[in-house]
Amino acid sequence: TQLYCTGGRFVPENNIFVGSVAENFLKGITADLMFFSSQAISKTGEISDVSEEETEIKSQKFKTSKSQKFLRF
C-alpha cells in the first residue's frame, strides 16, 4: 500500500487538496478503482460540488481511473 499527497491548497472542511498543483499531480496517476462522493451527480454522470476547484479535482481523477464507485451518504 502506498499513500501519495497531491499537494496544492488544502480545504480542511472537506479534507481535499485543490488547485493546479493537485490537478497536475493527478494527471500522472492512474487507479484501478476510484471511490468518491460529491454534493450531487446527474443522471448522465456529471459531478457537482460546492466548489468548482473540488469538482475539477474529482473530474481529473475520474478520467484516469479504470472504474469508479460513487458513495452516497
Side-chain angles (χ1 to χ4, degrees):
T1 302
Q2 296 181 8
L3 174 65
Y4 294 92
C5 178
T6 63
R9 185 174 60 84
F10 184 66
V11 181
E13 300 85 22
N14 299 322
N15 293 317
I16 189 170
F17 286 92
V18 297
S20 61
V21 172
E23 288 175 35
N24 289 332
F25 178 86
L26 291 173
K27 287 179 184 177
I29 302 292
T30 58
D32 293 328
L33 179 59
M34 172 191 173
F35 292 97
F36 73 100
S37 64
S38 66
Q39 297 293 321
I41 187 166
S42 72
K43 290 181 181 181
T44 60
E46 186 173 323
I47 301 166
S48 299
D49 271 302
V50 174
S51 157
E52 185 177 335
E53 290 178 309
E54 290 182 41
T55 301
E56 284 300 317
I57 291 295
K58 291 174 185 176
S59 294
Q60 180 61 49
K61 194 63 218 148
F62 203 88
K63 293 175 188 174
T64 59
S65 60
K66 294 177 184 174
S67 181
Q68 304 83 24
K69 299 293 180 191
F70 182 70
L71 304 174
R72 290 190 240 180
F73 294 98

